[in-house]
Amino acid sequence: LYFFMALMEDTGYMSRAVFLMDRLMHKIGLHGKSFIPLVMGFGCNVPAILATRILENRNERLITILINPFISCNARLPVYVLFISAFFPDYSGTMLFGIYTLGIVVAILTALVLRKTFFRERPQPFVMELPPYRMPTRKALLMHMWRRSQQYLRKIGGVILIASVLFWALSYFPRNPAALKPLQAEMASLTTTYDHRLSELRPADSLAFQHIAAEKEATLHALQLREKRAQREHSWLGSMGRFIEPAIRPLGFDWRIGISIISGIPAKEIIVSSLSILYQVDDVEGTEATLVQKLQASGKGSGGDTVGGITPLVALSFLVFVLLYLPCIGTLTAISREAGSWKWGAFMLVYSFSIAWLLSFA
């Protein structure tokens, strides 16, 4: 991302894009330079928020920072692809385009509201010098890319690492032997049974041996997935999912969706892996197709816990929620640091969850 941004800047193209977009950006109370961070937001919101430093006016910079989380970053794309392929396969392109468009619309409306409430100062007139087109040098491109990447890693890397470890601990502890004991006993019993059946076979029965061995592996694998789900359900993260269930129940979400929402706070991609565990799908090749089937089955009353099954309407509601609630802990940190106060980070946290809840409910 930084390489291509440096390429467009060093050629002189970016300045012309800013100039062309200035009139449109002024209609929502922003400077033409705000266009650059907003475009970067489609890749990742964190470097996009760091890129708002090119804006001289503090009010315009703050507005650009606060609307950037509604620009759909690449981390949300796996969630969109999963749910659209499961519930809207005939309208996949339209659905994906609609989700991205909704994020842009919410960003524009938020900018207008912020301009009329917190930041009433009129936008500054657009004055900038257009540099000539140039052929960028390899050394300059690499230097710009490295400097920005280094800055990004220093500011955000530690926060993401700490948050990831924290959420792993929440999903892994406390260990609950009482809840897992029946499954472990069943696993031991089945292992003994299959081993006994295999030991009784003659050397000539190679096909039967392979069949029973494959059956054993599949059966034990299913039990292991149930064990993972039971552990996740009885973990602190599972308790949090149960705790917030009354708040998300009007949106059609159950505790499993609640856990995936919480799991998505460190990074949105984790939502898919979290759902894989909760719907008893292993993290192996072909997982996505299997998870699609599990999600479809949950809405038809055949997915185990049929309360709160996922229907196309619930799936649409969830897509809207994923689009609008806080992208990740890195984005929250970037907002707080670049805005100069954790108050703006707290505001964005509350505002994004509120907007996500209201539009999902609608």
Side-chain angles (χ1 to χ4, degrees):
L1 179 65
Y2 280 137
F3 174 80
F4 284 105
M5 291 301 296
L7 183 66
M8 288 190 284
E9 288 174 4
D10 288 3
T11 55
Y13 173 81
M14 191 61 78
S15 300
R16 286 156 175 82
V18 168
F19 177 79
L20 290 171
M21 292 301 297
D22 184 66
R23 180 178 294 181
L24 178 62
M25 299 303 290
H26 264 72
K27 291 182 179 181
I28 60 173
L30 293 175
H31 195 280
K33 288 183 179 179
S34 297
F35 176 69
I36 297 176
L38 294 178
V39 170
M40 289 181 73
F42 287 107
C44 179
N45 296 123
V46 176
I49 290 169
L50 298 181
T52 58
R53 294 177 182 180
I54 63 175
L55 296 164
E56 294 85 3
N57 184 276
R58 175 169 169 77
N59 286 350
E60 290 173 354
R61 187 177 177 216
L62 282 172
I63 294 175
T64 307
I65 287 172
L66 295 174
I67 68 173
N68 209 292
F70 297 120
I71 302 298
S72 189
C73 63
N74 273 336
R76 286 172 260 202
L77 189 58
V79 185
Y80 301 158
V81 171
L82 173 66
F83 278 81
I84 289 174
S85 60
F87 297 99
F88 312 102
D90 296 333
Y91 306 97
S92 54
T94 305
M95 285 294 300
L96 193 60
F97 180 78
I99 289 293
Y100 274 84
T101 303
L102 177 62
I104 296 170
V105 170
V106 172
I108 291 172
L109 294 177
T110 300
L112 293 172
V113 170
L114 291 173
R115 177 58 75 179
K116 292 181 181 296
T117 53
F118 296 110
F119 310 105
R120 295 184 179 180
E121 176 188 337
R122 292 179 61 83
Q124 290 183 339
F126 180 75
V127 179
M128 73 174 294
E129 181 182 352
L130 291 180
Y133 280 114
R134 294 187 179 92
M135 181 65 70
T137 64
R138 187 184 305 173
K139 182 179 179 181
L141 289 175
L142 293 176
M143 283 180 62
H144 289 167
M145 179 183 70
W146 173 250
R147 192 181 305 119
R148 292 176 179 177
S149 301
Q150 192 178 41
Q151 182 185 59
Y152 169 80
L153 291 172
R154 282 179 177 174
K155 278 185 168 289
I156 306 302
V159 175
I160 293 177
L161 175 63
I162 293 169
S164 299
V165 171
L166 175 63
F167 274 80
W168 169 82
L170 289 174
S171 66
Y172 193 77
F173 296 104
R175 307 301 291 174
N176 194 332
L180 302 179
K181 195 171 182 180
L183 286 172
Q184 291 170 348
E186 186 178 355
M187 199 177 302
S189 175
L190 283 171
T191 301
T192 303
T193 302
Y194 277 110
D195 288 345
H196 180 68
R197 288 174 61 187
L198 290 170
S199 65
E200 290 181 338
L201 292 174
R202 294 172 297 176
D205 296 333
S206 58
L207 289 177
F209 185 92
Q210 292 175 7
H211 176 75
I212 295 174
E215 184 182 329
K216 173 188 174 182
E217 184 178 355
T219 304
L220 294 179
H221 181 64
L223 280 172
Q224 288 170 354
L225 291 175
R226 285 173 57 192
E227 184 181 17
K228 283 184 181 180
R229 174 183 166 173
Q231 171 55 39
R232 181 66 64 92
E233 185 177 349
H234 291 90
S235 67
W236 285 317
L237 194 62
S239 299
M240 292 167 67
R242 295 283 188 185
F243 178 76
I244 68 170
E245 188 174 25
I248 59 176
R249 176 61 71 179
L251 312 180
F253 304 162
D254 64 354
W255 63 272
R256 290 178 292 188
I257 297 293
I259 290 177
S260 69
I261 289 171
I262 298 171
S263 299
I265 292 175
K268 282 290 193 294
E269 303 96 322
I270 301 177
I271 290 177
V272 176
S273 59
S274 178
L275 289 171
S276 296
I277 292 174
L278 294 169
Y279 283 89
Q280 301 177 34
V281 179
D282 197 15
D283 189 17
V284 294
E285 188 176 351
T287 291
E288 186 176 329
T290 310
L291 183 54
V292 164
Q293 295 166 3
K294 290 278 187 176
L295 293 175
Q296 292 170 337
S298 73
K300 299 175 183 176
S302 58
D305 184 3
T306 57
V307 178
I310 300 178
T311 63
L313 182 58
V314 173
L316 176 60
S317 179
F318 184 63
L319 287 173
V320 172
F321 199 95
V322 169
L323 166 71
L324 298 176
Y325 90 96
L326 193 74
C328 64
I329 198 72
T331 301
L332 181 63
T333 305
I335 291 171
S336 302
R337 289 182 175 175
E338 295 302 309
S341 172
W342 281 96
K343 292 179 182 178
W344 288 114
F347 166 79
M348 196 63 225
L349 182 67
V350 174
Y351 180 74
S352 66
F353 270 96
S354 300
I355 290 294
W357 194 96
L358 289 171
L359 289 186
S360 293
F361 181 74

